[in-house]
C-alpha cells in the first residue's frame, strides 16, 4: 500500500538525518534538538531529548505490519533513550506521547511474543522504562488540588532551584484531565496503584470544579485554588481530550462514574456549544453567550468521539463542514471563522480530522469516507511532501512550509489513514481488542479486569439524571446502527454540501494568472520595497495598504483588502504583507540567543526574584563565562547616550540605563568607560513585560563591537521596575547576571520556595496563540533588534492579523531594516489567498519612567505587579 511505502521512506529519512533527535526537520534535513534550535516557546516542551518520534511511532510500525522494523526500533529505544535529562518538559505531552508510546509499544510487543515469531527476547523492558518515566512525572502532582503542574524537569523534578519550573499556577483542563488512560494502564500492567490514584484524583477535582448550572468546564484552571482562569468552554484546544478520556476511561476501566460524568458534560455540550454543523465556544457562566466567532482545528476530533458515543448525526454534520473547509484550503487551518474565513493560517499536519474520518467509516461503511481519506493523502503528497519528509504548512493560503514535522504525524496521521484503507487481513492482530489513546496509542481492553486494586466507588456527586436517549448507543454496535445503509449518512451530508462555497466563492487565482499572461506589470515584492520611493507608496495604496504614523516616529503598515482598487490588487497586498512577514522571520532566525536571567541576591530577596532578560549580541557571553555579580546604580544621563556625569556612582557596579535615543552598543561603551562591570537596559515603553511581549536580543550598531567586554542584558519595563522599586526601598541592591538562575543563598534554605517569575516560559498553554503575530525588527533606538522567540503553537498558529512599522529616519536598502510588526485585513474574495481581519493599531505609552512614585513596600510592589499581569492576561482571553 502507498502508506506503507511512504512510511518506509519517512523512517529511512528520520534514521539518516535526525536520529536520535526528538523530531525531523524536513526542510533542512536535520534533527531538532532542544537548545540547539531557536526556541519556539511552549511547542518545544514536548521535546525532552528522548528520541520522541521513535517512541511515539513504535506501535504504528506494528499496525503497518512492519514487525521486523518494530523489533529493531524497540532495541534502539532500550539502547539509546535516556529519560534522566536536565530538560523541562510538558507533563501532558510527555504523558500522551512518551509514556503512551512506551505502553503502546509494550502492548504490541507482548502480543507479538505470544504469537511466537517476533520479540521472543522481550521481557517487559519497555514497561520498565514506562514505570521509570511514570515515577519521574509523579512529583508534578504535588499540589493541594491534585492537579499536576504543567511542566516538570525530568532530572530534578519540581520547585528545586535546578528544576527551573514549579512556579506556574495555571494549567489547561485537557492537560490535567488527559492522564487516566496511560496512568491507569501503567498501574494495571505493573500493579503499582499510585499512578491510577493520582490520575483519578485530578479527574475528580476537575469534575467537582465544573460550573454547576451549565455543567461545563473552562479552558484554564488554577492548580492550587481550583479557580477558573479562563472561563470560556468548548471542545477544542485546552479542553478536548478531557472529554475524550472520560468516555474512554469508562471503556477501558469499566467504571460507571466516568460514563456518568461524560454524559453530563455531553448533554451540556449539545445544549450550548453545538450549533450544527458548528461547535462554538461559550462562557461557562453564561452558556447562551458565544465566547468567540471562530473555531480551532483541534475540535476535528469530536466527530470521532461522537461515533464512540453513538451520536452519529451531529458527527456526520460537523465532519462534513470540516471537509468542505479542507477542500477550500487543501488543509484545515489552525482556526477559521464561522463564515469559514481563515483565522489562523497554519496547519502542522494535525491528525484529528483523519481520526474522525476513520471512525465515521467504521460506523457507517460509507465509501464516501474513503474518498475523503484519498483527498487527504493526495493533498499531503502534493502540498506537504518535501525531500526529507512532510513539512507543516506555515500558511494554507500561500502553501508556504514550516521546518517542522511533529511526532504525531507518524504516531497518528499515518496510523489512521492506513487503518482507513486496510482490509482486516492486512492487520496482524484484532484492532477491536484495543482502545486508542488521544495520541492513537493502543491499550488492550483486557486491562479492565487486571489488577483492579483501585476502589471503583462512584465519586460523581450531584449527578443529574438525564433523558434516557442520552445513553442510547454508547459504545455502539455499528451493525445495528447502520445495517449497511450508507445512504443514511449521505442524506445528512447533502444539505451541507455547499455550506462553505456559499460563504466565499473562488476565482481570484485564475484572474491573477490571466492578468499576467496579458502583460500586466508584476506586483511589488516585499524584498524590493523602499519606504522613501513615492511609486512604491502609491502601489501600496492601490493594494489597500495604508500608512499610520505612530507617536514614536515609526510608520505602521496595515492592509484592508476592502480598500484595494480591485480584488487582484487586494491579493497582491496580501502577498506583499505575507512576504514581509516571511522575510523578517528569516532575519530573526539568523542569530538567536537564549534568554538570560537577572537575579536579585541581596536582602531581603536572596535569589527569590529572578527576572527574565534579553541577551546582547555583543559584550561578555554569560553562557561561556562566569556570571557577573554586583550592586546596581543608575547612570546619568539615564539614557546612557553620552559620557556619564556620575562615573564614581557606577564604578565597579552594574549600571542601569534606559532604552532609547541611541544604539545599545553606544550605551555599553559609555558605561564601560565609566568603570561599570555590566549593564542592564530597561525598556522605556512603560508597562511592557516579558510575560506579554516576545523577548528580543540587543544587536550591535553595525560596527566592530569587540571592544565591549562587559555583559549587557535587557529588561522590559515591568521587570525593570522591580529593581528600581527595590532601590527606592532598600538603597543597596545586588544582582546576579547569568545565563540561568542560580541556587539561592544559604540563608534562604529554610524559607519558602520561590514564587517569582523564574521561568521565561511560564505562560500557560492557552497563550500559545495570540491575536497578532509580532515581527520584532529595527526601531528608532536599535537598528538591528530581532525577536528572540517566535510565537509558540500547541495550538502554535500564525495569525492573520499583522502590522508593519517603519522608522522614516532609516533609509537602509534592506526592506526589512525598519519593520516591527505586520498587520493584514483581507476581504473574502478567495479563501485560498484572501482573509478578512480587523487590525488594531497599537501606540506606545509614555516612554518616560516616572521617578515620583510613592514608595511602597517591596511585597506590595510584587503583588501589584502580579495583579497587573493577571489583568492584562484577562483582557483578550478570547483571542489567546
Amino acid at each position: 500500500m502507498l502508506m506503507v511505502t511512504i512510511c518506509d521512506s519517512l523512517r529511512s529519512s528520520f534514521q539518516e538525518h535526525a536520529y536520535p533527535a526528538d523530531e525531523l526537520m524536513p526542510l533542512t534535513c536535520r534533527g531538532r534538538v532542544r537548545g540547539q534550535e531557536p526556541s519556539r516557546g511552549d511547542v518545544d516542551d514536548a521535546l525532552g531529548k528522548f528520541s520522541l518520534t521513535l517512541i511515539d511511532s513504535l506501535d504504528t510500525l506494528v499496525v503497518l505490519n512492519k514487525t521486523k522494523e518494530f523489533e529493531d526500533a524497540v532495541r534502539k529505544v532500550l539502547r539509546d533513550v535516556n529519560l534522566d535529562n536536565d530538560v523541562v518538559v510538558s507533563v501532558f505531552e510527555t504523558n500522551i506521547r512518551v509514556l503512551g508510546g512506551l505502553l503502546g509499544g509494550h502492548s504490541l510487543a507482548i502480543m507479538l511474543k505470544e504469537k511466537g515469531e517476533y520479540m521472543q527476547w522481550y521481557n517487559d523492558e519497555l514497561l520498565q522504562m514506562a514505570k521509570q518515566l511514570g515515577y519521574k512525572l509523579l512529583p508534578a502532582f504535588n499540589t493541594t488540588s491534585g492537579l499536576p503542574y504543567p511542566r516538570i524537569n525530568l532530572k530534578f523534578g519540581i520547585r528545586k532551584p535546578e528544576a527551573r519550573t514549579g512556579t506556574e499556577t495555571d494549567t489547561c483542563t485537557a492537560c490535567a484531565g488527559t492522564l487516566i488512560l496511560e496512568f491507569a494502564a501503567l498501574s494495571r500492567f505493573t500493579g503499582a496503584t499510585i499512578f491510577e490514584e493520582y490520575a483519578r484524583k485530578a479527574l475528580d477535582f476537575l469534575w467537582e470544579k465544573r460550573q454547576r448550572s451549565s455543567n461545563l468546564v473552562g479552558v484554564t484552571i488554577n492548580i492550587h485554588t481550583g479557580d477558573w482562569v479562563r472561563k470560556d468552554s468548548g471542545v477544542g484546544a485546552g479542553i478536548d481530550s478531557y472529554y475524550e478520556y472520560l468516555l474512554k476511561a469508562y471503556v477501558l476501566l469499566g467504571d460507571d462514574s466516568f460514563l456518568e460524568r461524560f454524559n453530563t458534560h455531553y448533554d451540556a455540550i449539545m445544549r450550548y456549544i453545538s450549533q450544527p454543523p458548528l461547535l462554538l465556544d461559550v462562557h461557562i457562566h453564561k452558556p447562551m453567550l458565544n465566547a468567540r466567532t471562530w473555531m480551532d482545528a483541534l475540535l476535528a476530533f469530536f466527530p470521532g468521539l461522537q461515533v464512540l458515543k453513538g451520536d452519529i448525526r451531529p458527527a456526520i454534520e460537523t465532519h462534513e463542514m470540516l471537509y468542505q473547509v479542507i477542500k477550500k484550503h487543501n488543509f484545515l487551518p489552525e482556526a477559521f471563522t464561522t463564515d469559514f474565513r481563515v483565522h489562523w493560517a497554519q496547519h502542522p499536519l494535525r491528525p484529528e480530522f483523519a481520526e474522525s474520518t476513520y471512525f465515521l467509516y467504521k460506523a457507517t461503511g460509507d465509501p464516501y469516507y474513503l474518498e475523503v481519506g484519498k483527498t487527504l493523502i493526495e493533498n499531503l503528497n502534493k502540498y506537504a511532501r518535501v525531500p526529507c519528509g512532510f513539512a507543516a504548512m506555515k500558511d494554507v493560503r500561500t502553501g508556504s512550509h514550516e521546518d517542522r514535522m511533529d511526532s504525531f504525524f507518524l504516531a497518528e496521521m499515518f496510523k489512521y489513514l492506513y487503518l482507513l484503507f486496510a482490509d482486516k487481513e492486512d492487520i496482524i492482530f484484532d484492532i477491536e481488542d484495543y482502545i486508542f489513546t488521544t495520541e492513537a496509542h493502543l491499550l488492550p481492553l483486557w486491562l479492565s479486569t487486571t489488577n483492579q486494586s483501585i476502589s471503583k466507588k462512584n465519586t460523581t456527586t450531584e449527578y443529574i439524571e438525564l433523558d434516557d436517549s442520552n445513553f442510547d448507543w454508547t459504545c455502539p454496535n455499528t451493525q445495528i446502527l447502520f445495517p449497511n445503509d450508507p445512504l443514511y449518512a449521505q442524506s445528512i451530508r447533502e444539505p451541507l454540501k455547499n455550506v462553505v462555497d456559499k460563504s466565499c466563492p473562488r476565482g481570484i487565482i485564475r484572474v491573477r494568472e490571466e492578468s499576467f499572461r496579458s502583460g500586466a506589470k508584476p506586483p511589488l515584492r516585499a524584498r524590493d520595497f523602499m519606504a522613501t520611493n513615492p511609486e512604491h507608496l502609491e502601489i501600496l495604496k492601490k493594494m489597500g495598504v495604508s500608512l499610520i504614523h505612530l507617536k514614536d516616529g515609526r510608520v505602521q503598515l496595515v492592509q484592508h483588502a476592502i480598500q484595494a482598487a480591485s480584488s487582484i490588487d487586494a491579493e497582491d497586498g496580501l502577498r506583499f504583507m505575507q512576504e514581509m512577514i516571511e522575510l523578517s522571520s528569516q532575519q530573526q532566525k539568523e542569530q538567536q540567543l537564549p534568554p538570560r536571567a537577572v537575579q536579585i541576591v541581596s536582602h531581603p530577596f536572596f535569589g527569590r526574584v529572578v527576572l527574565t532578560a534579553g541577551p546582547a549580541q555583543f559584550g561578555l557571553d554569560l553562557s561561556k563565562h562566569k556570571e557577573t555579580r554586583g550592586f546596581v546604580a543608575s547612570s546619568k544621563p539615564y539614557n546612557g547616550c553620552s559620557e556619564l556625569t556620575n562615573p564614581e556612582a557606577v564604578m565597579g557596579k552594574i549600571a542601569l540605563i534606559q532604552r532609547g535615543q541611541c544604539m545599545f552598543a553606544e550605551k555599553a561603551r559609555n558605561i564601560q568607560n565609566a568603570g561599570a562591570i555590566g549593564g542592564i537596559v530597561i525598556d522605556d515603553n512603560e508597562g511592557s513585560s516579558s510575560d506579554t511581549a516576545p523577548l528580543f536580543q540587543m544587536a550591535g550598531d553595525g560596527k566592530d563591537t569587540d571592544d565591549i567586554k562587559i555583559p549587557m542584558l535587557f529588561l522590559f519595563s515591568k521587570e525593570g521596575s522591580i529593581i528600581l522599586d527595590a532601590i527606592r526601598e532598600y538603597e543597596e541592591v545586588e544582582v546576579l547576571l547569568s545565563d540561568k538562575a542560580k541556587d539561592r543563598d544559604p540563608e534562604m534554605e529554610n524559607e519558602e520556595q520561590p514564587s517569582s517569575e523564574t521561568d521565561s516560559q511560564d505562560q500557560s498553554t492557552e497563550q500559545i496563540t495570540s491575536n497578532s503575530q509580532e515581527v520584532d525588527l529595527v526601531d528608532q533606538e536599535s537598528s538591528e533588534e530581532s525577536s528572540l522567540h517566535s510565537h509558540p503553537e500547541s495550538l502554535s498558529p500564525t495569525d492573520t492579523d499583522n502590522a508593519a512599522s517603519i522608522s522614516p529616519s532609516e533609509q537602509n536598502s534592506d526592506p526589512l531594516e525598519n519593520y516591527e510588526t505586520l498587520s493584514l485585513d483581507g476581504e473574502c474574495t478567495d479563501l485560498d489567498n484572501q482573509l478578512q481581519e480587523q487590525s488594531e493599531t497599537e501606540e506606545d505609552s509614555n516612554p518616560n519612567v516616572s521617578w515620583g512614585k510613592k514608595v511602597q513596600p517591596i511585597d506590595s510592589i510584587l503583588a501589584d505587579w502580579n495583579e497587573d499581569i493577571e489583568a492584562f492576561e484577562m483582557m483578550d482571553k478570547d483571542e489567546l
Side-chain angles (χ1 to χ4, degrees):
M1 293 177 67
L2 175 62
M3 298 303 296
V4 177
T5 303
I6 296 175
C7 183
D8 288 340
S9 175
L10 276 180
R11 275 196 325 105
S12 175
S13 184
F14 178 78
Q15 293 296 329
E16 179 182 354
H17 301 294
Y19 187 78
D22 283 318
E23 291 179 345
L24 170 67
M25 299 174 69
L27 296 182
T28 53
C29 297
R30 68 179 190 270
R32 184 180 295 280
V33 179
R34 194 163 177 186
Q36 295 183 12
E37 301 293 335
S39 172
R40 301 177 298 168
D42 291 352
V43 176
D44 284 339
D45 287 346
L47 311 181
K49 298 182 179 180
F50 35 37
S51 295
L52 176 62
T53 298
L54 178 66
I55 293 177
D56 211 4
S57 60
L58 283 176
D59 50 9
T60 300
L61 292 172
V62 183
V63 171
L64 269 62
N65 201 10
K66 295 288 181 179
T67 49
K68 180 62 171 63
E69 291 82 353
F70 170 75
E71 190 161 5
D72 293 340
V74 172
R75 292 184 186 274
K76 281 188 176 181
V77 170
L78 300 179
R79 182 189 68 207
D80 299 335
V81 172
N82 177 24
L83 298 176
D84 196 38
N85 300 313
D86 181 11
V87 179
V88 176
V89 298
S90 162
V91 173
F92 167 76
E93 297 290 356
T94 304
N95 172 66
I96 65 172
R97 299 202 206 188
V98 185
L99 184 58
L102 293 171
L103 292 172
H106 171 70
S107 300
L108 298 188
I110 58 178
M111 178 274 296
L112 290 173
K113 184 176 182 179
E114 290 175 359
K115 287 181 174 289
E117 183 177 357
Y118 294 98
M119 303 298 294
Q120 296 305 298
W121 54 271
Y122 182 70
N123 192 29
D124 294 349
E125 289 87 351
L126 290 177
L127 180 60
Q128 295 308 311
M129 287 187 69
K131 188 176 181 180
Q132 177 192 358
L133 180 59
Y135 278 119
K136 285 183 172 294
L137 296 179
L138 283 184
F141 292 83
N142 188 21
T143 62
T144 54
S145 66
L147 300 178
Y149 282 95
R151 301 175 186 86
I152 194 168
N153 188 298
L154 289 175
K155 188 177 183 69
F156 297 109
I158 292 285
R159 295 188 67 83
K160 295 179 181 178
E162 305 93 335
R164 306 184 304 283
T165 190
T167 60
E168 303 95 334
T169 58
D170 306 335
T171 193
C172 70
T173 300
C175 300
T178 310
L179 299 158
I180 186 65
L181 293 189
E182 292 83 2
F183 272 52
L186 183 58
S187 287
R188 303 294 176 98
F189 273 130
T190 64
T193 61
I194 188 171
F195 304 109
E196 186 172 343
E197 290 170 356
Y198 275 49
R200 280 177 176 265
K201 183 179 178 182
L203 275 181
D204 290 347
F205 190 83
L206 289 173
W207 169 253
E208 291 299 324
K209 290 298 178 179
R210 74 194 185 282
Q211 211 292 319
R212 299 303 176 96
S213 61
S214 67
N215 282 319
L216 295 172
V217 291
V219 174
T220 313
I221 190 171
N222 186 295
I223 59 177
H224 303 297
T225 66
D227 295 331
W228 291 110
V229 179
R230 279 190 56 188
K231 300 175 183 178
D232 46 319
S233 183
V235 296
I239 304 180
D240 49 0
S241 49
Y242 162 68
Y243 295 133
E244 176 186 2
Y245 270 38
L246 283 178
L247 182 55
K248 290 184 177 180
Y250 162 68
V251 176
L252 182 65
L253 306 178
D255 190 334
D256 290 344
S257 67
F258 291 130
L259 178 60
E260 292 168 357
R261 295 179 190 182
F262 172 80
N263 280 319
T264 301
H265 285 315
Y266 188 78
D267 179 73
I269 291 169
M270 301 309 292
R271 187 185 305 270
Y272 303 119
I273 296 172
S274 178
Q275 301 176 35
L278 308 180
L279 292 163
L280 293 177
D281 286 16
V282 299
H283 296 278
I284 59 175
H285 294 94
K286 298 179 179 179
M288 302 305 293
L289 180 64
N290 288 339
R292 59 172 59 103
T293 58
W294 48 269
M295 296 164 280
D296 66 73
L298 286 173
L299 62 78
F301 91 100
F302 198 67
L305 186 64
Q306 289 179 306
V307 170
L308 183 61
K309 159 70 180 171
D311 200 358
I312 306 298
R313 174 179 286 275
I316 294 173
E317 292 174 336
T318 299
H319 180 275
E320 181 62 20
M321 177 270 294
L322 294 171
Y323 183 45
Q324 297 299 325
V325 175
I326 288 174
K327 288 199 294 186
K328 194 74 177 177
H329 302 293
N330 302 318
F331 298 98
L332 190 64
E334 276 291 77
F336 53 94
T337 61
T338 53
D339 53 358
F340 311 110
R341 296 182 177 94
V342 173
H343 189 69
W344 293 327
Q346 282 181 314
H347 174 72
L349 307 182
R350 293 198 185 278
E352 285 76 17
F353 181 78
E355 173 185 357
S356 289
T357 303
Y358 165 67
F359 286 118
L360 273 170
Y361 179 64
K362 292 284 289 184
T364 65
D366 189 343
Y368 174 82
Y369 295 107
L370 296 180
E371 291 301 314
V372 173
K374 181 181 177 182
T375 299
L376 296 181
I377 295 173
E378 289 175 348
N379 288 348
L380 284 171
N381 278 315
K382 184 175 181 180
Y383 301 109
R385 194 164 189 176
V386 293
C388 288
F390 288 81
M393 306 305 297
K394 189 170 186 177
D395 193 315
V396 298
R397 298 160 301 184
T398 63
S400 58
H401 290 118
E402 189 175 354
D403 200 4
R404 170 184 180 185
M405 191 180 85
D406 291 80
S407 66
F408 54 66
F409 182 67
L410 280 173
E412 299 184 73
M413 180 72 87
F414 260 73
K415 192 175 295 171
Y416 285 125
L417 289 178
Y418 177 84
L419 289 172
L420 176 63
F421 292 98
D423 295 325
K424 190 170 184 179
E425 56 269 20
D426 294 327
I427 306 172
I428 62 174
F429 62 97
D430 190 351
I431 200 77
E432 303 296 339
D433 290 338
Y434 297 81
I435 192 168
F436 290 93
T437 70
T438 194
E439 191 75 4
H441 294 306
L442 296 167
L443 299 177
L445 293 176
W446 53 258
L447 288 174
S448 62
T449 58
T450 303
N451 289 325
Q452 293 180 303
S453 54
I454 303 293
S455 172
K456 295 202 300 185
K457 64 180 181 180
N458 191 330
T459 57
T460 301
T461 58
E462 299 183 28
Y463 174 69
I464 302 173
E465 278 296 330
L466 304 172
D467 189 284
D468 286 344
S469 64
N470 196 52
F471 295 84
D472 291 348
W473 308 119
T474 297
C475 304
N477 181 322
T478 58
Q479 292 304 312
I480 297 176
L481 275 176
F482 298 102
N484 300 316
D485 183 16
L487 291 179
Y488 172 79
Q490 181 180 340
S491 66
I492 298 175
R493 289 193 305 267
E494 193 63 30
L496 303 170
K497 188 174 181 180
N498 298 312
V499 65
V500 174
D501 286 326
K502 288 179 180 178
S503 299
C504 200
R506 285 179 177 269
I508 196 165
I509 295 179
R510 292 190 294 272
V511 175
R512 178 79 252 177
E513 291 172 346
E514 291 172 3
S515 67
F516 283 138
R517 286 195 295 268
S518 64
K521 186 176 180 180
L524 176 65
R525 308 306 296 267
R527 62 176 178 267
D528 302 322
F529 174 68
M530 293 291 294
T532 56
N533 188 322
E535 182 182 357
H536 288 182
L537 297 178
E538 186 62 30
I539 295 174
L540 289 188
K541 183 178 180 180
K542 188 178 180 182
M543 294 190 300
V545 179
S546 57
L547 281 72
I548 301 173
H549 294 271
L550 302 180
K551 292 191 303 182
D552 60 3
R554 290 176 298 147
V555 176
Q556 187 176 58
L557 295 179
V558 182
Q559 191 212 19
H560 300 274
I562 58 175
Q563 296 178 6
S566 68
S567 60
I568 297 176
D569 292 311
E571 182 196 2
D572 291 342
L574 173 63
R575 184 182 293 109
F576 172 83
M577 300 293 274
Q578 290 168 340
E579 286 178 355
M580 190 64 72
I581 296 172
E582 182 72 25
L583 288 172
S584 57
S585 297
Q586 293 173 3
Q587 187 183 66
Q588 292 169 17
K589 294 177 181 178
E590 290 179 358
Q591 288 185 319
Q592 294 189 342
L593 301 172
R596 306 293 188 227
V598 175
Q599 192 168 9
I600 307 180
V601 295
S602 55
H603 175 82
F605 305 95
F606 300 108
R608 287 182 297 175
V609 175
V610 182
L611 307 174
T612 300
Q617 295 178 1
F618 54 85
L620 185 71
D621 187 348
L622 292 171
S623 65
K624 299 178 181 178
H625 298 85
K626 187 178 180 180
E627 64 273 6
T628 298
R629 181 169 180 161
F631 289 93
V632 296
S634 296
S635 63
K636 294 182 181 179
Y638 188 40
N639 60 32
C641 291
S642 60
E643 182 179 349
L644 267 59
T645 60
N646 64 334
E648 70 287 346
V650 300
M651 175 74 71
K653 296 183 179 180
I654 296 172
L656 301 179
I657 44 184
Q658 189 182 46
R659 178 186 182 186
Q661 301 184 32
C662 64
M663 302 295 181
F664 290 123
E666 185 178 347
K667 299 175 189 289
R669 292 189 180 96
N670 288 331
I671 64 172
Q672 179 175 272
N673 292 338
I677 61 173
I680 299 175
V681 179
I682 298 177
D683 193 12
D684 61 346
N685 183 12
E686 188 173 355
S688 63
S689 168
S690 64
D691 286 328
T692 55
L695 208 60
F696 66 85
Q697 53 191 329
M698 297 181 290
D701 52 7
K703 305 174 184 177
D704 185 2
T705 55
D706 290 343
D707 59 313
I708 302 176
K709 306 297 183 184
I710 61 175
M712 294 288 294
L713 296 181
F714 176 88
L715 290 179
F716 281 108
S717 173
K718 284 286 188 180
E719 287 82 355
S721 67
I722 298 293
I723 296 179
L724 297 176
D725 292 341
I727 292 175
R728 295 191 193 95
E729 184 154 349
Y730 300 104
E731 295 184 0
E732 296 290 322
V733 176
E734 189 178 17
V735 301
L736 188 73
L737 310 184
S738 60
D739 61 334
K740 60 182 179 180
K742 306 300 178 184
D743 291 347
R744 286 161 39 194
D745 282 359
E747 297 98 310
M748 298 303 299
E749 287 181 353
N750 296 322
E751 297 194 20
E752 63 180 0
Q753 293 291 328
S755 60
S756 61
E757 310 70 41
T758 306
D759 197 323
S760 66
Q761 310 238 346
D762 262 3
Q763 294 296 78
S764 54
T765 305
E766 79 276 6
Q767 289 172 295
I768 284 176
T769 60
S770 68
N771 189 42
S772 63
Q773 175 181 353
E774 297 183 359
V775 185
D776 293 328
L777 294 176
V778 237
D779 66 9
Q780 206 165 0
E781 294 84 286
S782 170
S783 63
E784 294 180 16
E785 294 170 10
S786 59
S787 173
L788 182 63
H789 292 306
S790 57
H791 278 271
E793 319 156 55
S794 128
L795 283 168
S796 138
T798 302
D799 202 347
T800 56
D801 288 349
N802 305 283
S805 300
I806 312 172
S807 172
S809 61
E810 300 286 351
Q811 298 185 17
N812 192 296
S813 60
D814 183 355
L816 298 177
E817 185 72 5
N818 301 298
Y819 289 80
E820 185 141 17
T821 54
L822 298 173
S823 217
L824 308 177
D825 179 18
E827 185 182 24
C828 182
T829 27
D830 179 16
L831 278 174
D832 289 311
N833 295 279
Q834 297 285 334
L835 68 161
Q836 182 171 12
E837 297 287 353
Q838 291 298 325
S839 61
E840 298 179 357
T841 303
E842 298 181 1
E843 296 187 350
D844 293 341
S845 57
N846 187 352
N848 298 319
V849 174
S850 172
W851 289 89
K853 294 181 181 178
K854 182 179 179 181
V855 176
Q856 295 176 269
I858 193 66
D859 290 342
S860 174
I861 294 171
L862 293 175
D864 290 344
W865 183 65
N866 286 327
E867 289 176 3
D868 290 343
I869 291 295
E870 292 172 3
F872 185 93
E873 290 172 350
M874 292 300 296
M875 287 174 60
D876 290 312
K877 284 302 180 184
D878 290 347
E879 298 299 333
L880 290 177

